[in-house]
Amino acid sequence: MKTLEVAKKCLRDEAQALLDLIPLMDETFDSIVKLIYKCTGHVVVTGVGKSGHIAAKISATLASTGTPAIYINALDALHGDLGMVMDDDVVLLISNSGNTDELLRIIDSLEERKIKIVSMTGSAESLIAKHSDYHILVSVKREACPLNLAPTSSTTAALAMGDALACALMEERNFKAREFAMFHPGGSLGRKLLTRVKDVMYTDNFPIISADMKLSEALLFISNGKLGLGVVMDGKTIQGIITDGDIRRAVEGAQSNFLNLSVADVMTKTPKTIGPDAKLTQIQYMFRKHKIHSLLVVDSDYSLVGIVDYFAIMG
């Protein structure tokens, strides 16, 4: 149990370290947001050791949320990669001590080229902070590490501040879900935000049945249709929808009178519909809200053009 308590204390300490950052934030943060927003180049993020890993993550988060950003290895920067930094870039240096030798050596070159420097350190009195155009203080009282040695609270603080910077820039850019999807075309993120109903709907062999069909016949028809439903139509007019669940409930309620029931007796006369250009996120919302597993896709004339099945799109 002692190990569990140590783990819980680690989480509490890191959570408190994040809360302690809030009073440290002032108008300088807003100035940094505006500087980066107006930047015509890239935000070049770098650090050494654990701070280097944090720098890479912050760079990736900025890039994926509308702010052009790249990460460079500080050691490589000292041996030629500093040439990747252009005059219209903004450089973000991350160091807990604020006195990291490799970053101090980079600063000399950046100052000579008059490139804007933003730093994120644990001390406002550090050399890196003093040689920066803008500084973000991310000091922590102690590390969450039981020995107060391993970078834990300090790296968490820097990581969270990077997220705060990215979120603020998203607000400044009025960054929307569609832009986010454009930067995440792979996987579920892009799929949910870009996929439309017409991309996933069934368009062939609609399970069409008539309102006067007996339930016993409709049950066989629906079973063969593979979608668990039948669309009740009169010519091209949608009259309703009936699902295998509707039939099961009818059997339980009618019992011996089941054979005398028709589709019209149990069908839903106002089925839920959606347009072919709606997004996948809208389909999922309607499934959850109405607790259904199928939607009829209709055009502007309320003509049936497709069927969307929950299990097909959620797989």
Side-chain angles (χ1 to χ4, degrees):
M1 288 298 293
K2 184 177 180 181
T3 54
L4 181 60
E5 288 306 313
V6 170
K8 290 180 178 179
K9 184 177 184 303
C10 174
L11 294 179
R12 284 193 295 268
D13 288 347
E14 294 203 1
Q16 186 59 52
L18 297 188
L19 293 174
D20 290 342
L21 293 180
I22 297 174
L24 302 180
M25 300 175 71
D26 55 24
E27 62 276 3
T28 299
F29 186 89
D30 192 52
S31 298
I32 293 170
V33 170
K34 287 180 169 53
L35 170 71
I36 295 176
Y37 174 68
K38 294 177 181 178
C39 174
T40 57
H42 290 76
V43 178
V44 181
V45 195
T46 188
V48 177
K50 302 296 189 297
S51 294
H53 296 304
I54 299 302
K57 191 276 178 185
I58 292 175
S59 169
T61 299
L62 289 171
S64 69
T65 53
T67 298
I70 58 172
Y71 164 76
I72 62 172
N73 182 289
L75 299 178
D76 291 337
L78 290 174
H79 297 280
D81 280 7
L82 204 56
M84 298 169 60
V85 182
M86 299 290 100
D87 292 344
D88 55 353
D89 290 341
V90 171
V91 175
L92 174 58
L93 306 176
I94 301 175
S95 167
N96 183 39
S97 70
N99 295 308
T100 306
D101 180 65
E102 293 86 350
L103 299 186
L104 289 171
R105 292 159 68 188
I106 288 174
I107 284 178
D108 183 58
S109 176
L110 297 176
E111 287 182 330
E112 187 173 341
R113 295 173 59 190
K114 295 181 172 53
I115 294 172
K116 292 295 183 181
I117 301 172
V118 177
S119 62
M120 189 184 296
T121 79
S123 171
E125 301 303 315
S126 65
L127 285 172
I128 291 176
K130 290 181 177 180
H131 283 270
S132 300
D133 296 288
Y134 299 91
H135 176 251
I136 301 175
L137 183 60
V138 284
S139 64
V140 298
K141 295 176 181 177
R142 72 181 313 278
E143 297 290 0
C145 162
L147 301 176
N148 192 28
L149 294 174
T152 45
S153 295
S154 59
T155 48
T156 299
L159 183 66
M161 189 61 77
D163 287 341
L165 184 61
C167 289
L169 283 161
M170 289 175 70
E171 177 66 21
E172 186 74 11
R173 295 182 187 283
N174 194 28
F175 193 76
K176 299 298 184 182
R178 178 165 183 81
E179 285 82 16
F180 188 80
M182 292 297 292
F183 297 141
H184 298 78
S188 61
L189 290 174
R191 182 170 183 264
K192 287 181 180 179
L193 291 167
L194 293 179
T195 300
R196 298 181 183 275
V197 171
K198 60 187 176 185
D199 298 322
V200 295
M201 67 184 186
Y202 291 97
T203 57
D204 299 318
N205 302 316
F206 295 144
I208 307 298
I209 59 178
S210 61
D212 58 1
M213 181 182 289
K214 295 297 182 181
L215 286 188
S216 55
E217 184 181 356
L219 181 59
L220 294 174
F221 193 93
I222 290 173
S223 296
N224 292 332
K226 308 299 183 183
L227 292 177
L229 61 85
V231 184
V232 186
M233 300 190 67
D234 180 11
K236 294 185 177 181
T237 302
I238 300 173
Q239 293 185 305
I241 188 173
I242 184 169
T243 67
D244 49 8
D246 293 329
I247 296 178
R248 285 196 301 272
R249 287 186 288 272
V251 171
E252 294 171 358
Q255 296 182 1
S256 60
N257 191 44
F258 167 70
L259 295 176
N260 296 321
L261 294 178
S262 67
V263 168
D265 295 322
V266 299
M267 71 180 186
T268 298
K269 296 181 180 179
T270 55
K272 302 301 178 185
T273 61
I274 196 167
D277 290 319
K279 298 288 187 64
L280 183 59
T281 48
Q282 179 65 18
I283 306 174
Q284 294 170 332
Y285 168 76
M286 292 186 68
F287 282 155
R288 291 193 300 268
K289 178 181 179 181
H290 301 294
K291 296 180 173 59
I292 55 179
H293 63 77
S294 297
L295 283 167
L296 301 186
V297 185
V298 297
D299 61 17
S300 57
D301 296 323
Y302 202 69
S303 297
L304 182 68
V305 294
I307 299 174
V308 179
D309 178 65
Y310 174 90
F311 300 102
I313 69 166
M314 299 298 283

